[in-house]
Amino acid sequence: MLFSFGPGPQGPYDPRDPFPQFKVEEMDFSKFHRFLRLGLLGLALIILWSGLNWAQGFYTDWLWYSSLDHQSVLWKVVTTKVWLYVGAVLVFLALAVPNLVAVVRITGRMFPRGGHKLPPGIYDSARSVLIWLAGGVVALGAFMLASGPAGEWNVVLRYLHQVPFGEADPIFNNDYSFYIFSLPALEFFRSWLVGLTVLVAIIVAAFYYMNSILRGEAFAFRGPILSHLAVLGAFLFVLIAAGHWLSRYDLLYSTMGAVYGVGYTDNLFNLPSRAFMAVVALVAAGALLAAAKTGRKELAVWSVGAWFGLNIVLGSLVPGLIQRLVVEPSELARETTYLANNISHTRQAFGLEGLRSMSHPALGEVDHATVEANQGTIQNIRLWDEGPLMQSYNQIQFFRLYYDFLAVHTDRYTVNGELRQVMLATRELSAEKLPTEAQRWVNRHLQFTHGYGVAMSPVTEVQSGGRPDFFVRDLPPTGEIPLDRPELYYGLKSLDYVIVNSRMQEFNFPGPDGPVYTHYEGDGGVQLGSFFRRLMYAWQFKDVNILISGEVTPESRIQYRRTVPERFTTVTPFLLRDREAYSVVADGRLYWIQDAYTTTNRYPYSTPWERRFNYIRNSVKAVVDAYHGTLTYYVFDESDPLISTYQAMFPDLFKPQSEMPEHLRAHVRYPQDLFTVQTQMLLQYHMEDPVVFYNKEDQWSVPMQHSFGQTEILRPYYIVARLPGEEKEEFLLIQPFTPINRHNLVGWMAARSDGENYGDMILFRFPTGRHVDGPSQVEARIDNDAVISEQFTLWGQVGSEVFRGILLVIPIGDSILYAEPVFLRPETIDFPELRRIILADSRQVVMHQTLDASISALVGDLPPVAPVVETVEDEDAPRPLIQLPDFNQGLRDAVDKLQEVVDQLRRLMQ
C-alpha cells in the first residue's frame, strides 16, 4: 500500500475535510517502475502481434486481389486508411500535447517544489507517475480515436473525387453533390473534433483534480485552471456553432411536417433559428474566452446556460407550437409548394421521372383473335414456380447426395430460332453431405472442389406425370443449350477454401462406370508457388495441412471467397448488391451476373425507402466466370454521378457497357429488387399533383395472392410478352397494382430488358369506369367453381396435397389473362408434380392438364374443366390421374359417382 489515511502534520483526520491528509507508510516507486516496464513490454508485444496479423492479412489480400487483377482497389483503400489514420493521430496529438504540456506547467507554477504537504521526493515521484499516466491516456486515445477517420475512407474519397450532379436544390441552391459528398465529410470531421476536444478537456480536468488530491488541496475552478478549461470550452463552442450552421442543410431531410424535407415551419423558423443558434454558440465561445482572461466564472456559467436554454426553446418548443397552431389548421395551403418539391425530387431520386404512362383498355374476354395475335406470349406463359421447380430438381437431377440446387433463376434464351423463357439452377457441391467417414481434409479441400452443370427447363412445358421438361439436363450436361465447360468452382456455396491442381485428382462428376476425375486448368485462385505463401495461408485458415501436405505442389492454387456475393462485397463494399446473382449459360460456359446499385440517403427532398436510402441507380452489372472466378464490372448508367465518382476513385475497376460481350449482353435483365423499390415508391408517387398527393385520393397497393398455402404480396415477375403497340415479344418484368384496401386492378407497370430498350419503364393505367379483377378476386372465382373444388377435394383424399402456385396477371394484347399452376405433392416427400393449369379471363375459369388445352377451353373449343381421368395417347383405355389401390373398392365407387356428378355439371354449364 502506498498511502493510508491518518493523522497529518496539522492534526488528526477530520471527516468533514473532503481531501484528507496522507500518511506515508511505504513508498517504493521502483516496484511501480518495474510494473510500468512490464506493462509497456506487454503493450509492445500486443502491438507487434497485431502488426504481424495485419501484415499477414494484407499480404494474402494482396495476393487475392492480384489474382483478380484488382490490386489497385486494395492499394487505394489501404493507403487512404493509413494516411487518414496517421493524419488523425497527428491532429489528436496537435490538440492534446500542447494542452498536456500546459497543464503540467500550470500545476508546476501553482504548486512549486516544496509547496506541498508530502514528504520530500514523494510528491515529485507521484506527480511524475501522474504525468506518465496522462501521457499514456493521450497515446491510447490517439491510437483508438484515429480508427474513426480511417473507417470513413469511403466518405473521404467520395469527397475528394466528387462529380457534380448539375442540379441544385430549391432552398439553398447548392448542387446535389454538396449534400451527397461534401456535407457527410464535413459533419463527420466536425463531430470527430468535438469528441477529441471533449476527451482532451476530460484529461486536463482529471490531471488538475488528481494533482490537487496529491497536494491535499481542495479542487476549484479558479485562476489558471478556469482559464485553461474555458479556452478548451471556447474551442468546443466554435465546433458547436459549425454544427448549428451545417444542421441548416439537414432540414432537407426533415420529417416535421406533412412532407419529407423542408416544410413551412422549417423554412419560416427553423432555418433562421439554426443560423441564430450558430451566432449564439460563437457568442458563448467569446464569453468563455472573456472568462479565461478575467477569471470571472459567472461569464462561463451564464454563456453555457443561455446556449442550452435557447437550444431547447428554439430547437423544440417554438417549432412545435408553430406547427400545431399555424400550420396544421391550414396545412395543405401552407405545404403545397413543399409537397411539389418532395414529389419531384423523390420521383427523380428513384428513377421514376422517365416513366411513360399509357392507357390500357383491359378488355375482359380472351377470344380466338387475341390468342392468334399473341402466340409468342401464349407459348411463354410461366407455369412453373421457383419453389416447386427447385424441389423437383433436387429429386430428379441431383444424382448424388452431395449435390444441391440452391436457387432457381429466370431468364430467356433463343432456342430453335424462338425466344423462350426458361428457369435454371446450378448444381452446387455440398461437401458437408459427404458420409461421415468421408469427411477428411483431402476430400473436403483437395478432391471435392466444385459443382457441375445446370438444369434448365422451359417455363411452359411439362412431361407426362407432371415433371418439368428440360433444355439442359443430366451429367454430363445434354440438351438444347451447349455447355462445354460445366465445372462450377465459383457459385452460391463453397467451403472456406479448396486447393486445386494438386497431385490429387479432383472429382468431376459421377459417370456410368464410376467417378470421372479432372485437373483444374483455369486461372482462379492464388498460386501456392512458395513455402512462404503456404505458411501465410496456413496461418490465415489456421490449418497446418496447407503447409505440410505432400499433395500440394508449387503449381497448386488455393481458392477462397468463392461465392459470388462474397467476392463482390469484398472488392466493392461501397456498392449495394442485388439479393440474387443469377446464372447464365453463354458461349458454352457458365457465368454469374450480379446487379449492383449506387445508393445514398442524402439526396435532398427525397423520401427514403424503408429508412435505408432515398436515391438508387442500377449502375453496375458485375460478371463472375464460374470456372476462372474473374470478376468484371460493367457500367450501365453513365449518367449517374455516384458511379462517375467511383470511377474517379478507382479508374482501373470499371469497364463501359460497350465492352460487355454480346453473349452476356443478351442475358442482362432489369433487376427485380430495384423494380420492387420503384413500384413500392410509385404506390404514392404516381400522384404528381400536390393536392391529390396530400389527400391520398388515388393511393395504390400491391395485390395479395394465395399460393402454396400462404397469403403474401404478389412480387414482380418476369414474363416474355408483346407490349401493346410493339411488333415482337420481349423479356419484361411486370407488377400489377390495386387501389389501397381494394382488390380490383387499376393498372400494371413493365420494365424492359432487351436491346436498346433496356431500362425503359411503362405504366399502363386501366379505364376508371371498368372493373378489372385482381388476383384475390380471381382466386375467389376459382374457389367458388364447384367442379374445380370437387377435384381438389378428391386429390386431397388420396394421400396428396394440392398446392396452387402464384397467380400471374399477364397482359395479352388489349386483354388480361390470369394463369395459375396446380401442383400435387405426396405427403411423404417434397416432390411436387404439375397436374393442372388454371386460366381465367373476365368470363370464365378453366382448368386442363396442358396449356394448349386450357387455352382451347378458354376460347370455347373444349369444356371448361378437364375430366378426372386423363387419356394416355398410346393406350386405348382412359387411365385415372390418381391411381387408386385395388383393395379400396369403395373409394373407386365414390370416384365413379363423382365423375357422374361432374358430367352432369358440365352439361348444365354448357
Side-chain angles (χ1 to χ4, degrees):
M1 185 174 69
L2 296 179
F3 302 109
S4 67
F5 296 121
Q10 299 180 359
Y13 164 66
D14 185 354
R16 294 171 298 178
D17 186 357
F19 294 95
Q21 305 301 317
F22 289 114
K23 174 185 177 182
V24 179
E25 293 184 349
E26 57 179 286
M27 183 68 64
D28 188 357
F29 279 96
S30 62
K31 293 182 179 180
F32 178 81
H33 289 152
R34 282 199 301 271
F35 176 77
L36 183 61
R37 285 194 296 270
L38 288 175
L40 291 175
L41 178 61
L43 181 61
L45 290 176
I46 292 174
I47 294 175
L48 177 62
W49 180 250
S50 300
L52 289 175
N53 271 297
W54 181 88
Q56 179 272 329
F58 174 75
Y59 177 70
T60 54
D61 279 347
W62 178 267
L63 294 176
W64 187 82
Y65 276 83
S66 298
S67 70
L68 293 173
D69 199 25
H70 292 324
Q71 62 271 24
S72 61
V73 176
L74 178 65
W75 181 251
K76 186 65 169 286
V77 172
V78 170
T79 54
T80 303
K81 285 183 175 181
V82 169
W83 283 115
L84 285 173
Y85 190 89
V86 172
V89 168
L90 294 177
V91 170
F92 182 83
L93 293 178
L95 179 63
V97 170
N99 281 279
L100 186 59
V101 171
V103 76
V104 170
R105 290 180 176 177
I106 289 172
T107 53
R109 290 196 301 268
M110 290 177 62
F111 311 114
R113 184 180 181 85
H116 48 75
K117 302 174 182 179
L118 295 179
I122 299 300
Y123 174 76
D124 291 337
S125 297
R127 190 165 182 269
S128 175
V129 170
L130 182 60
I131 293 172
W132 275 97
L133 183 62
V137 172
V138 168
L140 184 62
F143 177 77
M144 296 180 63
L145 292 181
S147 61
E152 297 296 324
W153 60 268
N154 187 22
V155 173
V156 174
L157 285 179
R158 294 201 305 177
Y159 170 76
L160 295 175
H161 298 87
Q162 60 181 281
V163 173
F165 277 66
E167 298 180 77
D169 73 280
I171 304 299
F172 302 100
N173 201 33
N174 292 321
D175 189 272
Y176 296 163
S177 60
F178 170 78
Y179 305 101
I180 295 173
F181 302 126
S182 301
L183 189 59
L186 294 174
E187 289 181 337
F188 169 77
F189 281 105
R190 187 206 66 86
S191 62
W192 183 72
L193 286 173
V194 168
L196 296 191
T197 306
V198 171
L199 179 59
V200 170
I202 291 173
I203 294 173
V204 168
F207 192 100
Y208 283 126
Y209 180 78
M210 293 300 298
N211 193 80
S212 297
I213 288 179
L214 291 177
R215 285 188 39 79
E217 299 286 345
F219 176 77
F221 287 102
R222 63 175 183 269
I225 297 178
L226 174 63
S227 299
H228 191 178
L229 293 177
V231 171
L232 282 175
F235 181 67
L236 178 63
F237 266 89
V238 171
L239 295 175
I240 291 174
H244 283 306
W245 186 260
L246 293 177
S247 69
R248 296 161 56 250
Y249 304 116
D250 288 332
L251 292 175
L252 287 167
Y253 320 107
S254 171
T255 57
M256 186 172 190
V259 60
Y260 184 88
V262 174
Y264 181 85
T265 302
D266 295 319
N267 197 34
L268 174 71
F269 182 80
N270 286 334
L271 273 175
S273 70
R274 293 190 180 189
F276 176 73
M277 285 304 301
V279 175
V280 171
L282 289 176
V283 171
L288 288 171
L289 290 176
K293 185 174 182 179
T294 63
R296 297 175 60 185
K297 186 165 52 178
E298 62 273 12
L299 282 177
V301 174
W302 281 106
S303 61
V304 174
W307 170 82
F308 186 78
L310 286 173
N311 201 41
I312 294 176
V313 172
L314 301 183
S316 299
L317 296 181
V318 176
L321 290 174
I322 294 175
Q323 187 69 24
R324 178 64 186 89
L325 301 178
V326 178
V327 178
E328 289 187 10
S330 55
E331 191 172 47
L332 178 57
R334 299 189 184 277
E335 299 279 16
T336 299
T337 301
Y338 309 105
L339 279 168
N341 290 337
N342 173 257
I343 294 170
S344 172
H345 285 71
T346 301
R347 287 177 61 88
Q348 188 176 33
F350 287 93
L352 299 176
E353 77 283 357
L355 177 66
R356 288 191 294 150
S357 183
M358 301 176 62
S359 61
H360 190 283
L363 301 179
E365 180 178 345
V366 177
D367 53 19
H368 284 93
T370 303
V371 171
E372 289 297 326
N374 294 274
Q375 277 298 308
T377 302
I378 296 292
Q379 296 306 316
N380 279 285
I381 292 177
R382 197 186 85 184
L383 304 180
W384 287 97
D385 289 337
E386 287 88 347
L389 188 60
M390 186 167 65
Q391 291 175 353
S392 295
Y393 283 175
N394 278 316
Q395 292 295 332
I396 61 179
Q397 280 288 304
F398 76 106
F399 299 117
R400 291 293 186 272
L401 291 176
Y402 42 78
Y403 283 136
D404 266 331
F405 293 95
L406 301 179
V408 173
H409 312 124
T410 303
D411 203 348
R412 73 287 197 194
Y413 287 77
T414 300
V415 180
N416 297 325
E418 296 182 359
L419 183 65
R420 302 294 302 273
Q421 184 176 355
V422 305
M423 287 183 169
L424 69 158
T426 53
R427 192 177 289 105
E428 304 274 347
L429 177 69
S430 297
E432 74 278 1
K433 292 186 177 181
L434 289 169
T436 304
E437 57 274 11
Q439 293 289 333
R440 307 292 186 183
W441 183 84
V442 170
N443 281 346
R444 290 176 61 85
H445 296 285
L446 301 184
Q447 190 169 68
F448 289 87
T449 58
H450 59 276
Y452 196 86
V454 300
M456 181 189 295
S457 300
V459 297
T460 57
E461 297 181 14
V462 185
Q463 293 181 350
S464 59
R467 299 186 179 189
D469 203 355
F470 291 94
F471 281 162
V472 181
R473 62 181 303 165
D474 297 343
L475 298 175
T478 60
E480 304 293 335
I481 309 295
L483 183 54
D484 304 321
R485 179 58 78 181
E487 293 89 348
L488 193 75
Y489 284 85
Y490 299 88
L492 301 179
K493 186 175 184 178
S494 74
L495 298 171
D496 290 338
Y497 71 91
V498 296
I499 298 177
V500 297
N501 204 19
S502 65
R503 291 191 176 94
M504 177 67 64
Q505 287 187 318
E506 300 171 38
F507 175 80
N508 205 23
F509 64 90
D513 301 323
V516 177
Y517 296 94
T518 186
H519 270 92
Y520 183 67
E521 300 174 353
D523 302 324
V526 177
Q527 188 168 349
L528 298 174
S530 66
F531 176 83
F532 183 72
R533 288 191 178 187
R534 293 173 65 174
L535 175 63
M536 291 296 99
Y537 280 108
W539 183 350
Q540 176 167 334
F541 294 107
K542 298 177 176 59
D543 192 342
V544 71
N545 289 317
I546 300 175
L547 186 63
I548 66 176
S549 175
E551 303 297 330
V552 180
T553 71
E555 288 74 32
S556 299
R557 292 176 172 270
I558 185 168
Q559 297 180 349
Y560 58 104
R561 294 173 184 154
R562 298 196 300 147
T563 65
V564 176
E566 190 177 14
R567 296 173 80 77
F568 174 87
T569 304
T570 302
V571 176
T572 51
F574 46 85
L575 294 177
L576 179 66
R577 64 177 179 84
D578 193 272
R579 75 181 71 183
E580 178 184 85
Y582 60 97
S583 54
V584 171
V585 180
D587 196 32
R589 306 176 64 85
L590 273 172
Y591 297 91
W592 295 92
I593 296 181
Q594 174 72 71
D595 283 287
Y597 310 110
T598 55
T599 61
T600 181
N601 59 357
R602 307 291 297 183
Y603 197 88
Y605 252 130
S606 174
T607 301
W609 178 76
E610 294 187 352
R611 299 183 179 181
R612 294 179 60 188
F613 49 79
N614 66 355
Y615 172 93
I616 185 171
R617 290 291 187 273
N618 175 219
S619 299
V620 174
K621 309 281 186 181
V623 177
V624 176
D625 188 303
Y627 188 74
H628 295 287
T630 55
L631 176 58
T632 309
Y633 294 85
Y634 297 98
V635 175
F636 265 66
D637 188 354
E638 296 180 353
S639 64
D640 175 25
L642 270 172
I643 197 59
S644 299
T645 299
Y646 288 128
Q647 285 179 289
M649 290 164 54
F650 306 104
D652 299 328
L653 179 60
F654 300 99
K655 294 185 177 181
Q657 172 186 346
S658 58
E659 293 188 18
M660 175 180 278
E662 186 57 35
H663 58 262
L664 291 175
R665 180 65 182 84
H667 295 280
V668 166
R669 69 186 192 185
Y670 200 86
Q672 195 172 31
D673 280 357
L674 173 62
F675 194 67
T676 299
V677 171
Q678 290 175 319
T679 53
Q680 289 185 3
M681 296 303 296
L682 195 69
L683 299 180
Q684 291 193 47
Y685 284 92
H686 71 277
M687 299 177 285
E688 299 185 61
D689 183 271
V691 177
V692 175
F693 184 91
Y694 177 82
N695 293 322
K696 301 295 187 287
E697 296 178 12
D698 190 24
Q699 189 168 348
W700 293 349
S701 65
V702 176
M704 304 298 294
Q705 56 95 28
H706 184 81
S707 64
F708 305 107
Q710 297 180 346
T711 300
E712 57 187 6
I713 64 172
L714 181 62
R715 293 186 60 201
Y717 49 88
Y718 293 99
I719 63 171
V720 170
R722 182 166 59 87
L723 288 173
E726 297 295 330
E727 297 180 354
K728 61 180 181 179
E729 288 73 26
E730 55 185 296
F731 195 57
L732 304 172
L733 181 59
I734 73 170
Q735 173 70 72
F737 298 110
T738 63
I740 192 169
N741 299 324
R742 294 291 186 269
H743 299 292
N744 59 291
L745 292 180
V746 294
W748 58 283
M749 179 173 166
R752 308 171 76 176
S753 296
D754 294 339
E756 297 179 355
N757 296 320
Y758 175 83
D760 289 349
M761 293 188 296
I762 307 175
L763 175 63
F764 293 91
R765 298 173 181 262
F766 296 154
T768 55
R770 177 178 299 151
H771 174 85
V772 180
D773 283 343
S776 298
Q777 294 171 324
V778 176
E779 293 278 7
R781 290 170 55 194
I782 296 172
D783 293 335
N784 293 335
D785 190 290
V787 182
I788 294 176
S789 297
E790 289 287 351
Q791 291 200 15
F792 289 166
T793 302
L794 173 63
W795 286 330
Q797 292 174 349
V798 291
S800 294
E801 295 180 89
V802 180
F803 288 99
R804 287 151 59 179
I806 297 175
L807 189 144
L808 302 182
V809 180
I810 303 171
I812 173 172
D814 291 336
S815 302
I816 298 295
L817 176 67
Y818 308 89
E820 182 178 78
V822 179
F823 299 91
L824 294 186
R825 187 177 67 186
E827 294 179 350
T828 57
I829 187 173
D830 288 334
F831 193 4
E833 296 179 345
L834 200 160
R835 288 297 186 174
R836 291 291 189 270
I837 294 97
I838 297 177
L839 298 181
D841 60 9
S842 64
R843 299 175 299 116
Q844 60 179 333
V845 175
V846 301
M847 184 175 76
H848 279 260
Q849 289 105 326
T850 66
L851 177 62
D852 289 340
S854 293
I855 290 293
S856 296
L858 194 65
V859 297
D861 295 339
L862 287 177
V865 181
V868 177
V869 294
E870 59 182 13
T871 301
V872 182
E873 295 180 356
D874 57 350
E875 295 181 8
D876 296 332
R879 182 183 66 189
L881 178 64
I882 304 298
Q883 296 289 347
L884 301 177
D886 291 339
F887 59 84
N888 201 338
Q889 183 62 42
L891 187 56
R892 288 206 302 273
D893 293 341
V895 172
D896 293 339
K897 293 180 180 179
L898 180 60
Q899 180 63 51
E900 294 178 2
V901 174
V902 171
D903 292 340
Q904 291 176 2
L905 287 172
R906 183 178 296 109
R907 285 193 293 271
L908 289 174
M909 293 174 66
Q910 290 176 345

Short mmCIF file of all heavy atoms in Angstrom, two decimals, residues 359-363 745-746 765-772:
data_model
loop_
_atom_site.label_atom_id
_atom_site.label_comp_id
_atom_site.label_asym_id
_atom_site.label_seq_id
_atom_site.Cartn_x
_atom_site.Cartn_y
_atom_site.Cartn_z
N SER A 359 -52.54 4.33 -71.48
CA SER A 359 -53.80 3.70 -71.11
C SER A 359 -53.87 2.29 -71.70
O SER A 359 -53.31 2.03 -72.78
CB SER A 359 -54.99 4.53 -71.60
OG SER A 359 -54.95 4.64 -73.02
N HIS A 360 -54.50 1.40 -71.00
CA HIS A 360 -54.69 0.02 -71.44
C HIS A 360 -56.17 -0.29 -71.35
O HIS A 360 -56.79 -0.10 -70.30
CB HIS A 360 -53.88 -0.93 -70.56
CG HIS A 360 -53.82 -2.33 -71.09
ND1 HIS A 360 -54.87 -3.23 -70.97
CD2 HIS A 360 -52.83 -3.01 -71.74
CE1 HIS A 360 -54.53 -4.38 -71.52
NE2 HIS A 360 -53.30 -4.27 -71.99
N PRO A 361 -56.79 -0.79 -72.43
CA PRO A 361 -58.24 -1.00 -72.40
C PRO A 361 -58.68 -2.09 -71.45
O PRO A 361 -59.83 -2.09 -70.99
CB PRO A 361 -58.57 -1.35 -73.86
CG PRO A 361 -57.29 -1.84 -74.44
CD PRO A 361 -56.21 -1.09 -73.75
N ALA A 362 -57.82 -3.06 -71.15
CA ALA A 362 -58.16 -4.14 -70.20
C ALA A 362 -59.46 -4.82 -70.57
O ALA A 362 -60.38 -4.97 -69.75
CB ALA A 362 -58.20 -3.61 -68.77
N LEU A 363 -59.56 -5.25 -71.83
CA LEU A 363 -60.76 -5.96 -72.26
C LEU A 363 -60.89 -7.27 -71.49
O LEU A 363 -59.91 -7.92 -71.14
CB LEU A 363 -60.69 -6.24 -73.76
CG LEU A 363 -60.56 -4.99 -74.65
CD1 LEU A 363 -60.48 -5.39 -76.11
CD2 LEU A 363 -61.73 -4.03 -74.41
N LEU A 745 -57.97 -4.47 -60.10
CA LEU A 745 -56.76 -3.92 -60.68
C LEU A 745 -57.02 -2.52 -61.24
O LEU A 745 -58.09 -2.26 -61.80
CB LEU A 745 -56.23 -4.82 -61.80
CG LEU A 745 -55.69 -6.20 -61.40
CD1 LEU A 745 -55.20 -6.95 -62.63
CD2 LEU A 745 -54.55 -6.06 -60.40
N VAL A 746 -55.98 -1.65 -61.11
CA VAL A 746 -56.08 -0.32 -61.69
C VAL A 746 -55.01 -0.09 -62.75
O VAL A 746 -55.03 0.92 -63.45
CB VAL A 746 -55.97 0.78 -60.61
CG1 VAL A 746 -57.15 0.73 -59.66
CG2 VAL A 746 -54.64 0.65 -59.86
N ARG A 765 -52.35 2.26 -67.36
CA ARG A 765 -53.49 2.52 -66.48
C ARG A 765 -54.75 1.99 -67.12
O ARG A 765 -54.98 2.18 -68.32
CB ARG A 765 -53.64 4.02 -66.20
CG ARG A 765 -52.44 4.64 -65.49
CD ARG A 765 -52.61 6.15 -65.41
NE ARG A 765 -51.49 6.82 -64.77
CZ ARG A 765 -51.48 7.19 -63.48
NH1 ARG A 765 -52.54 6.95 -62.73
NH2 ARG A 765 -50.42 7.79 -62.97
N PHE A 766 -55.59 1.35 -66.31
CA PHE A 766 -56.86 0.82 -66.80
C PHE A 766 -57.93 1.91 -66.75
O PHE A 766 -57.82 2.87 -65.96
CB PHE A 766 -57.31 -0.37 -65.95
CG PHE A 766 -56.39 -1.55 -66.04
CD1 PHE A 766 -56.32 -2.46 -65.01
CD2 PHE A 766 -55.61 -1.77 -67.16
CE1 PHE A 766 -55.49 -3.57 -65.09
CE2 PHE A 766 -54.78 -2.86 -67.26
CZ PHE A 766 -54.71 -3.77 -66.21
N PRO A 767 -58.96 1.80 -67.59
CA PRO A 767 -60.04 2.80 -67.57
C PRO A 767 -60.70 2.85 -66.20
O PRO A 767 -60.95 1.81 -65.56
CB PRO A 767 -61.03 2.28 -68.63
CG PRO A 767 -60.20 1.41 -69.52
CD PRO A 767 -59.16 0.80 -68.66
N THR A 768 -60.98 4.06 -65.74
CA THR A 768 -61.55 4.21 -64.39
C THR A 768 -62.98 3.70 -64.32
O THR A 768 -63.46 3.38 -63.23
CB THR A 768 -61.52 5.69 -63.98
OG1 THR A 768 -62.21 6.47 -64.98
CG2 THR A 768 -60.09 6.20 -63.86
N GLY A 769 -63.67 3.61 -65.43
CA GLY A 769 -65.07 3.17 -65.39
C GLY A 769 -65.26 1.68 -65.61
O GLY A 769 -66.40 1.24 -65.79
N ARG A 770 -64.18 0.90 -65.63
CA ARG A 770 -64.31 -0.53 -65.90
C ARG A 770 -63.69 -1.33 -64.76
O ARG A 770 -62.59 -1.01 -64.29
CB ARG A 770 -63.63 -0.88 -67.21
CG ARG A 770 -63.66 -2.39 -67.52
CD ARG A 770 -63.02 -2.68 -68.85
NE ARG A 770 -63.75 -2.01 -69.92
CZ ARG A 770 -63.22 -1.60 -71.05
NH1 ARG A 770 -61.92 -1.76 -71.24
NH2 ARG A 770 -63.94 -1.02 -71.97
N HIS A 771 -64.41 -2.38 -64.33
CA HIS A 771 -63.88 -3.25 -63.28
C HIS A 771 -62.98 -4.32 -63.91
O HIS A 771 -63.36 -4.97 -64.87
CB HIS A 771 -65.02 -3.94 -62.52
CG HIS A 771 -64.53 -4.96 -61.53
ND1 HIS A 771 -64.14 -4.62 -60.26
CD2 HIS A 771 -64.35 -6.31 -61.64
CE1 HIS A 771 -63.74 -5.71 -59.62
NE2 HIS A 771 -63.87 -6.75 -60.44
N VAL A 772 -61.79 -4.46 -63.34
CA VAL A 772 -60.85 -5.50 -63.77
C VAL A 772 -60.48 -6.32 -62.54
O VAL A 772 -60.00 -5.77 -61.54
CB VAL A 772 -59.58 -4.89 -64.41
CG1 VAL A 772 -58.63 -5.99 -64.85
CG2 VAL A 772 -59.95 -3.98 -65.57
#
